[in-house]
Amino acid sequence: MIVRELAPNVYAFVAQDWDRKLFDELVPLPEGTSYNAYLVRGSERTALIDTVHPSMAADFVQALKSLGLARLDYIVSNHAELDHAGAIPAVLAAYPEAKVLANAKCRSLLAASLDLPKEMFGLIQDNHTLSLGDQSLRFMWIPWVHWPDSTATLLEPDNILFSCDFMGAHLATSDLFADDEARVERAARMYYAEIMMPYRKHVTKHLDRLATERIAMIAPSHGPVYARPAFILDLYRRWAGDTPQAEVVIPYLSMYDSTRNMVGYLLDRLMEQGWKVQPFNTVDLDSGRFASALVEASTLVFASPTVLDGPHPAMASAALLVNALKPKATRAGIIGSYGWGTSMPDNLRPLLGNLDVTWFAPVIASGVPKAEDFAALDRLVGEIGQADRPAGD
Ligand code: FEO
């Protein structure tokens, strides 16, 4: 692990996890990830902001030592999840004099996760300032992005915001800064979709608070540092805002091509009208791309054959993911088919109770879709068009 200077006496430790394929056994990592920690050497005291994944603890301590760091006064824990807090015991073993600081919620979670007595952690308060001599750290509570303990730490007077998970990106790159904005936007959007989207109301509230602060740089705990904060702040404002885009996302699967033919017909009619459409076969769903597509879509259409009177299990699984991620879509529909009978829409819709949508009438074909089913799909396209018009229409 190399150490890079972010600003005078401010150092970045970026633990690259180039090969990691999945986070939480759920979130795909097409470009790996990184766990970032930061060190601030004030004129009187030195503070570490977060640590790294426990699997990289030994490298991390070696990197701290490579700076010639003889004494560490504080370890600020912005968030207790172990990808940032898991190396705290290793750092404490190397620097036993360090005081670990966290808010009350984070302290409880750290004590539970690290199996340490909570009395050993010092408490920090919202908006409290900790002087390091010529520099200081100000702590800001940003709960629920994405845990209840989330904290951002602002270094003053440099105005570097250590935002932990907030505004991060699962991206292993040799770039310290987010210079390749197109690449970083893709990674940050996927990260937002998978981690932050369920909490978008909290995201908006925290963005409002940050808008009152002077921020020169945002240094998250995953992915590159934003030397141009407006880049990620503006994206987050758009992604978390209430206004969706005229886009239709269609999770689907098919067993004997009936549902597939209905989806194909629907896609063609929507594209003829200028809609942006994104179908996803849920049998081998890329949940990262799928989540990313949900960020701004106005309309969701779930397309499934009937299995044992309900949705196919692969569709039920995709629906559970959508329900957990709580996208901002305002309209939804169900289409599909059956062999001998179906309650598929009635069994699928309850899996999507978190959605705040108006439901279109289902379009369900008996066997292969026939003229009346295609006519019903035409009506569905008309209803979608009445709700939202494609951009430029
Ligand atoms: Fe990157 Fe919530 O930990």
Side-chain angles (χ1 to χ4, degrees), residues 79 81 83-84 146 165 191 222:
H79 173 34
E81 196 168 1
D83 52 331
H84 310 296
H146 62 127
D165 283 335
Y191 184 91
H222 297 287

Side-chain angles (χ1 to χ4, degrees), residues 268-332:
D268 286 351
R269 298 292 84 74
L270 288 167
M271 284 191 291
E272 279 172 356
Q273 296 198 12
W275 284 87
K276 178 176 177 181
V277 292
Q278 294 195 74
F280 289 89
N281 191 320
T282 59
V283 174
D284 54 358
L285 186 66
D286 180 333
S287 58
R289 279 187 56 242
F290 181 52
S292 206
L294 295 172
V295 169
E296 297 189 272
S298 63
T299 307
L300 311 178
V301 178
F302 299 84
S304 175
T306 300
V307 174
L308 299 174
D309 210 31
H312 188 287
M315 177 55 63
S317 174
L320 287 174
L321 180 62
V322 173
N323 196 55
L325 295 178
K326 301 181 190 168
K328 67 172 97 168
T330 56
R331 303 266 167 167

